[in-house]
Amino acid sequence: MRTIQDYPLNTQRIEECEPMENKSKDGKKYEKVVEEILTKYSKHKFEVQYSHHTLPDGTKQIPDILLTELDEILSLKTQTVSGTVDQKIAHELSILQDTVEAGNASKATIVLHGDGWNPKVKSSYMDPNHRFRKVCPDVDVIVHDEFLRRYTTKEVVDRKDGLDKFYDT
């Protein structure tokens, strides 16, 4: 089993990244890492950041990644410090379920990354019996390591030596 450090990514670029102080930059950096992993270690073709569905308020939903041949949306969520993003997962579940029901994807997966998640909230959303999961049956919630197992040819042994290195300051 391997860690993200075993992947021959452009580690110089990753190591030169500034500390992750801006939460929106955290997400963008994580998206870029996932795109690079999918490009190098996955058989899946994908598209990134495209307008896919109009929400009830008229705004466009812009998924992080669409695995084109699977017709599956990947929504990437990173949380490096504790905060209110835990509660936003319920909203994301609802939006993604609406997208699937509108015929804009066959299923969706939310990928959680980082150590800032409330452990109880994180595990409850991953529980298939959670009430939100029952009303959003076409949306799965997984952690980054499970993402690697499902969608790439690589495996991760120790999360501490995984992407967390990417966030070191």
Coordinates of all heavy atoms in Angstrom, one line a residue, residues 2 4 6-14 32-46 147-148 151-154:
R2 N 0.4 2.3 -0.7 CA 1.2 3.5 -0.9 C 0.5 4.7 -0.3 O -0.7 4.7 -0.1 CB 1.5 3.7 -2.3 CG 2.3 2.6 -2.9 CD 2.7 3.0 -4.3 NE 3.9 2.2 -4.6 CZ 4.2 2.0 -5.9 NH1 3.6 2.5 -6.9 NH2 5.3 1.2 -6.1
I4 N 0.2 9.1 -0.7 CA 0.3 10.1 -1.7 C 1.7 10.6 -2.0 O 2.0 11.0 -3.1 CB -0.6 11.3 -1.3 CG1 -0.9 12.3 -2.5 CG2 0.0 12.2 -0.3 CD1 -2.0 11.8 -3.4
D6 N 4.1 8.7 -2.4 CA 4.7 7.7 -3.3 C 4.4 8.1 -4.8 O 4.9 7.5 -5.7 CB 4.2 6.3 -3.0 CG 4.8 5.8 -1.7 OD1 5.9 6.1 -1.4 OD2 4.0 5.1 -1.0
Y7 N 3.4 8.9 -5.0 CA 3.0 9.2 -6.3 C 4.0 10.2 -6.9 O 4.3 11.2 -6.3 CB 1.6 9.9 -6.4 CG 0.5 9.1 -5.8 CD1 -0.7 9.7 -5.4 CD2 0.6 7.7 -5.6 CE1 -1.7 9.0 -4.9 CE2 -0.4 7.0 -5.1 CZ -1.6 7.6 -4.7 OH -2.6 6.9 -4.2
P8 N 4.4 10.0 -8.1 CA 5.4 10.9 -8.7 C 4.7 12.2 -9.2 O 4.8 12.5 -10.4 CB 6.1 10.1 -9.8 CG 5.0 9.1 -10.2 CD 4.2 8.8 -8.9
L9 N 4.0 12.9 -8.3 CA 3.4 14.1 -8.7 C 4.5 15.2 -8.9 O 5.6 15.0 -8.5 CB 2.4 14.6 -7.7 CG 1.2 13.6 -7.4 CD1 0.4 14.1 -6.3 CD2 0.4 13.5 -8.7
N10 N 4.1 16.4 -9.3 CA 5.0 17.5 -9.3 C 5.2 18.0 -7.9 O 4.6 18.9 -7.5 CB 4.4 18.6 -10.2 CG 5.4 19.7 -10.4 OD1 6.4 19.8 -9.6 ND2 5.1 20.6 -11.3
T11 N 6.0 17.2 -7.1 CA 6.2 17.5 -5.7 C 6.9 18.8 -5.4 O 6.6 19.5 -4.4 CB 7.0 16.4 -5.0 OG1 8.2 16.2 -5.7 CG2 6.2 15.1 -5.0
Q12 N 7.7 19.3 -6.4 CA 8.3 20.6 -6.2 C 7.2 21.7 -6.1 O 7.2 22.5 -5.2 CB 9.3 20.9 -7.3 CG 10.0 22.2 -7.1 CD 10.9 22.5 -8.2 OE1 11.0 21.8 -9.2 NE2 11.7 23.6 -8.1
R13 N 6.3 21.6 -7.0 CA 5.2 22.6 -7.0 C 4.4 22.5 -5.7 O 4.1 23.5 -5.1 CB 4.2 22.4 -8.2 CG 3.1 23.3 -8.2 CD 2.2 23.1 -9.4 NE 1.6 21.8 -9.5 CZ 0.5 21.4 -8.9 NH1 -0.1 22.2 -8.1 NH2 0.1 20.2 -9.0
I14 N 4.1 21.2 -5.3 CA 3.3 21.1 -4.1 C 4.1 21.6 -2.8 O 3.5 22.3 -2.0 CB 2.9 19.6 -3.9 CG1 1.9 19.2 -5.0 CG2 2.3 19.3 -2.5 CD1 1.6 17.7 -5.1
K32 N -6.7 20.7 -7.4 CA -5.6 20.5 -8.4 C -4.9 19.2 -8.1 O -4.5 18.5 -9.0 CB -4.6 21.7 -8.3 CG -5.2 22.9 -8.8 CD -5.5 22.8 -10.3 CE -6.0 24.1 -10.9 NZ -6.6 24.0 -12.2
V33 N -4.7 18.8 -6.8 CA -4.1 17.5 -6.5 C -4.9 16.4 -7.0 O -4.4 15.4 -7.6 CB -3.8 17.4 -5.0 CG1 -3.5 16.0 -4.6 CG2 -2.8 18.4 -4.5
V34 N -6.3 16.5 -6.8 CA -7.1 15.4 -7.2 C -7.1 15.3 -8.7 O -7.1 14.2 -9.3 CB -8.6 15.6 -6.7 CG1 -9.6 14.6 -7.3 CG2 -8.6 15.4 -5.1
E35 N -7.2 16.4 -9.4 CA -7.1 16.4 -10.9 C -5.8 15.7 -11.4 O -5.8 14.9 -12.3 CB -7.2 17.8 -11.4 CG -8.5 18.4 -11.3 CD -8.5 19.9 -11.7 OE1 -7.6 20.4 -12.5 OE2 -9.3 20.7 -11.1
E36 N -4.7 16.0 -10.7 CA -3.4 15.4 -11.1 C -3.4 13.9 -10.8 O -2.9 13.1 -11.6 CB -2.3 16.1 -10.4 CG -0.9 15.8 -11.0 CD 0.1 16.8 -10.5 OE1 -0.2 17.8 -9.9 OE2 1.3 16.4 -10.7
I37 N -4.0 13.5 -9.7 CA -4.1 12.1 -9.4 C -4.9 11.4 -10.4 O -4.6 10.3 -10.9 CB -4.7 11.9 -7.9 CG1 -3.6 12.3 -6.9 CG2 -5.0 10.4 -7.7 CD1 -4.2 12.4 -5.5
L38 N -6.1 11.9 -10.7 CA -7.0 11.3 -11.7 C -6.3 11.2 -13.1 O -6.4 10.2 -13.8 CB -8.3 12.1 -11.9 CG -9.3 11.9 -10.7 CD1 -10.4 12.9 -10.9 CD2 -9.8 10.4 -10.7
T39 N -5.5 12.2 -13.5 CA -4.8 12.2 -14.7 C -3.8 11.1 -14.8 O -3.7 10.4 -15.8 CB -4.2 13.6 -15.0 OG1 -5.2 14.6 -15.0 CG2 -3.4 13.6 -16.3
K40 N -3.0 11.0 -13.7 CA -1.9 10.0 -13.8 C -2.3 8.6 -13.3 O -1.6 7.7 -13.8 CB -0.8 10.6 -12.9 CG -0.2 11.8 -13.4 CD 1.0 12.3 -12.6 CE 1.7 13.5 -13.3 NZ 2.9 13.8 -12.6
Y41 N -3.3 8.5 -12.5 CA -3.5 7.2 -11.9 C -4.9 6.6 -12.0 O -5.3 5.8 -11.2 CB -3.1 7.2 -10.4 CG -1.6 7.6 -10.2 CD1 -1.3 8.9 -9.8 CD2 -0.6 6.7 -10.6 CE1 0.0 9.2 -9.7 CE2 0.7 7.1 -10.5 CZ 1.0 8.3 -10.1 OH 2.3 8.7 -10.0
S42 N -5.7 7.1 -12.9 CA -7.0 6.7 -13.1 C -7.3 6.4 -14.5 O -6.8 7.1 -15.4 CB -8.0 7.7 -12.5 OG -9.3 7.3 -12.7
K43 N -8.2 5.4 -14.8 CA -8.6 5.1 -16.1 C -9.8 6.0 -16.5 O -10.2 6.1 -17.7 CB -9.0 3.7 -16.3 CG -10.2 3.3 -15.4 CD -10.6 1.9 -15.5 CE -11.8 1.6 -14.6 NZ -12.2 0.3 -14.6
H44 N -10.3 6.8 -15.6 CA -11.5 7.5 -15.8 C -11.2 8.9 -16.5 O -10.3 9.6 -16.1 CB -12.2 7.8 -14.5 CG -12.6 6.6 -13.8 ND1 -13.6 5.7 -14.2 CD2 -12.2 6.1 -12.6 CE1 -13.7 4.7 -13.4 NE2 -12.9 4.9 -12.4
K45 N -12.0 9.2 -17.5 CA -11.9 10.5 -18.2 C -12.8 11.4 -17.3 O -13.8 11.0 -16.8 CB -12.4 10.4 -19.6 CG -11.5 9.5 -20.5 CD -12.0 9.6 -21.9 CE -11.2 8.8 -22.9 NZ -10.0 8.2 -22.5
F46 N -12.4 12.7 -17.3 CA -13.2 13.6 -16.5 C -13.1 15.0 -17.0 O -12.3 15.4 -17.8 CB -12.6 13.6 -15.0 CG -11.2 14.1 -14.9 CD1 -10.9 15.4 -14.6 CD2 -10.1 13.2 -15.1 CE1 -9.6 15.9 -14.4 CE2 -8.8 13.7 -14.9 CZ -8.6 15.0 -14.6
F147 N -11.7 7.5 -1.8 CA -11.6 8.0 -3.2 C -10.5 7.4 -4.0 O -10.6 6.9 -5.1 CB -11.5 9.5 -3.2 CG -10.9 10.1 -4.4 CD1 -11.6 10.3 -5.6 CD2 -9.5 10.5 -4.5 CE1 -11.1 10.7 -6.8 CE2 -9.0 10.9 -5.6 CZ -9.7 11.1 -6.8
L148 N -9.3 7.3 -3.4 CA -8.1 6.7 -4.0 C -8.4 5.2 -4.3 O -8.1 4.7 -5.4 CB -6.9 6.8 -3.2 CG -6.3 8.2 -3.0 CD1 -5.2 8.3 -2.0 CD2 -5.9 8.8 -4.4
Y151 N -11.2 5.1 -7.3 CA -11.1 5.7 -8.6 C -9.7 5.7 -9.2 O -9.5 6.3 -10.2 CB -11.6 7.2 -8.5 CG -13.1 7.2 -8.1 CD1 -13.4 7.6 -6.8 CD2 -14.1 6.9 -9.0 CE1 -14.7 7.6 -6.4 CE2 -15.4 7.0 -8.6 CZ -15.7 7.3 -7.3 OH -17.0 7.4 -6.9
T152 N -8.7 5.2 -8.4 CA -7.3 5.2 -9.0 C -6.8 3.8 -8.8 O -7.4 2.9 -8.2 CB -6.4 6.2 -8.2 OG1 -6.1 5.6 -6.9 CG2 -7.0 7.5 -8.1
T153 N -5.5 3.6 -9.3 CA -4.8 2.4 -9.2 C -3.9 2.3 -8.0 O -3.1 1.4 -7.8 CB -4.0 2.1 -10.5 OG1 -3.1 3.2 -10.7 CG2 -4.9 1.9 -11.7
K154 N -4.0 3.4 -7.2 CA -3.1 3.5 -6.0 C -3.8 3.3 -4.7 O -5.0 3.4 -4.7 CB -2.4 4.9 -6.0 CG -1.6 5.2 -7.2 CD -0.4 4.3 -7.3 CE 0.4 4.6 -8.6 NZ 1.5 3.7 -8.8

